[in-house]
Amino acid sequence: MKIGIKRINRVTITSTVALTAGAVLASGAFASAAQAAAAPPAPKIVAKGGFVMNSGTGKSLFSKAADTRRSTGSTTKIMTALVVLQQKNVNLKTKVTIQKAYSDYIVSKNASSARLIVGDKVTVGQLLYGLMLPSGCDAAYALADKFGTGSTRAARTKSFIGKMNATAKTLKLKNTHFDSFDGISSGKNYSTPRDLTIIARQAMKNATFRSVVKTKSTKQKVTTKSGGYRYMSWTNTNKMLSSYSGAIGVKTGSGPTAKYCLVFAATRNGKTVIGTVLTSSSEANRTADAKKLMDYGFKK
């Protein structure tokens, strides 16, 4: 009688194990199938280069010619701002007197402008807004002149560009080089979608930078040459701030060679994605490309 019971128990146990193992295998197969079905299809973008990463982990989420060197236009100014903000004991309240050279420069280059007025005294913090919102090349010039070293303006701006390249080297970027403080290149100003994203990710670690690039518009009170004051109003060229839920930056760029570029970032449900599109064919396509990549990044 006992022997029979033992045999029954063995059969029961064996059957149970077999059923359990089968259930695990089946559930695993279903899970794999579900995961495969849930994986979003990689987006197709017009831009010649694109890259997206999880800003928190640094994990790559999407790449298209991510390491191909391209002209960057005014997205260069992300590095301009980063170099200023990483200066030792930088004082954002320090006033910089606007020189005629800055005004002459934007006229000669037909460059984007913060409309700075010669003789006005504008703080470093205000210049950062003028740099990043209306993409002021005059503001970029003022900052490079202020934070470069040398006895002449040419020497100081050259020194500042050297700091930009030194920072790129510190970030171990092998496909980035700057020959200007604002992206108006003489032919040797280039980066890649991956490298620009890394630069932006580093810059976004700075609270002042984050505050500036998420600002849609601002009105700043500056001191005039006569000691009075005037208000400067600047609107951000990055329309993603108003058209994409969770957008927090970063910088637009354009130019004859660069075409249409955008470094972008957004946060949803505690996850931040950051990325770059370079050489898109129009402002509309640049925006559409960026939205596709952010949507994809949040689904990954």
Side-chain angles (χ1 to χ4, degrees):
M1 188 68 180
K2 290 180 181 179
I3 293 172
I5 291 170
K6 286 181 180 178
R7 285 176 180 170
I8 290 169
N9 286 345
R10 286 194 190 110
V11 171
T12 302
I13 291 167
T14 303
S15 299
T16 302
V17 169
L19 286 167
T20 303
V24 169
L25 288 170
S27 64
F30 286 134
S32 297
Q35 287 170 358
K44 293 182 179 180
I45 59 173
V46 175
K48 290 186 177 179
F51 182 76
V52 180
M53 72 160 66
N54 181 319
S55 188
T57 64
K59 180 183 177 182
S60 171
L61 302 175
F62 172 91
S63 65
K64 174 185 176 181
D67 300 308
T68 300
R69 296 174 179 180
R70 300 188 186 279
S71 178
T72 59
S74 286
T75 60
T76 297
K77 290 167 181 157
I78 298 170
M79 180 62 93
T80 308
L82 177 58
V83 169
V84 169
L85 289 168
Q86 69 183 9
Q87 296 302 299
K88 187 175 181 181
N89 299 321
V90 62
N91 184 353
L92 299 177
K93 294 182 179 180
T94 297
K95 292 183 177 180
V96 176
T97 302
I98 304 306
Q99 305 295 319
K100 186 174 183 294
Y102 312 155
S103 178
D104 291 345
Y105 174 78
I106 60 171
V107 171
S108 67
K109 300 292 185 181
N110 191 28
S112 54
S113 170
R115 304 182 308 281
L116 300 176
I117 297 173
V118 176
D120 280 4
K121 293 178 174 61
V122 184
T123 69
V124 170
Q126 290 171 333
L127 285 172
L128 287 171
Y129 280 99
L131 175 76
M132 299 303 287
L133 272 64
S135 198
C137 294
D138 45 357
Y141 197 165
L143 289 167
D145 193 11
K146 171 65 178 176
F147 290 98
T149 56
S151 58
T152 66
R153 186 170 292 117
R156 289 190 292 273
T157 54
K158 183 178 180 180
S159 163
F160 186 87
I161 294 165
K163 292 180 180 183
M164 294 169 71
N165 286 314
T167 301
K169 188 174 181 179
T170 299
L171 293 173
K172 300 180 180 179
L173 308 181
K174 297 180 179 179
N175 293 305
T176 294
H177 184 267
F178 300 104
D179 67 5
S180 73
F181 45 73
D182 57 3
I184 299 177
S185 173
S186 59
K188 294 182 180 178
N189 202 91
Y190 58 80
S191 189
T192 69
R194 188 190 308 273
D195 282 7
L196 270 175
T197 302
I198 291 169
I199 294 168
R201 184 187 183 215
Q202 181 67 24
M204 290 292 274
K205 294 177 182 179
N206 182 283
T208 297
F209 183 88
R210 291 197 305 274
S211 179
V212 169
V213 298
K214 75 177 182 181
T215 300
K216 295 177 184 178
S217 62
T218 185
K219 181 182 283 188
Q220 299 286 331
K221 185 178 180 179
V222 304
T223 305
T224 64
K225 185 177 182 179
S226 62
Y229 66 88
R230 77 173 91 248
Y231 286 99
M232 303 297 291
S233 296
W234 295 310
T235 300
N236 205 318
T237 58
N238 183 9
K239 296 176 182 177
M240 297 290 289
L241 294 171
S242 300
S243 64
Y244 191 86
S245 176
I248 55 173
V250 175
K251 184 73 185 74
T252 61
S254 61
T257 304
K259 302 303 180 185
Y260 295 87
C261 312
L262 181 63
V263 180
F264 52 84
T267 299
R268 290 180 180 176
N269 300 318
K271 178 181 179 180
T272 298
V273 297
I274 189 166
T276 301
V277 289
L278 292 181
T279 326
S280 198
S281 58
S282 68
E283 185 177 330
N285 283 333
R286 171 180 73 186
T287 300
D289 286 342
K291 287 181 177 180
K292 285 180 185 177
L293 294 188
M294 284 190 285
D295 286 347
Y296 182 73
F298 283 122
K299 290 175 183 175
K300 286 282 280 185

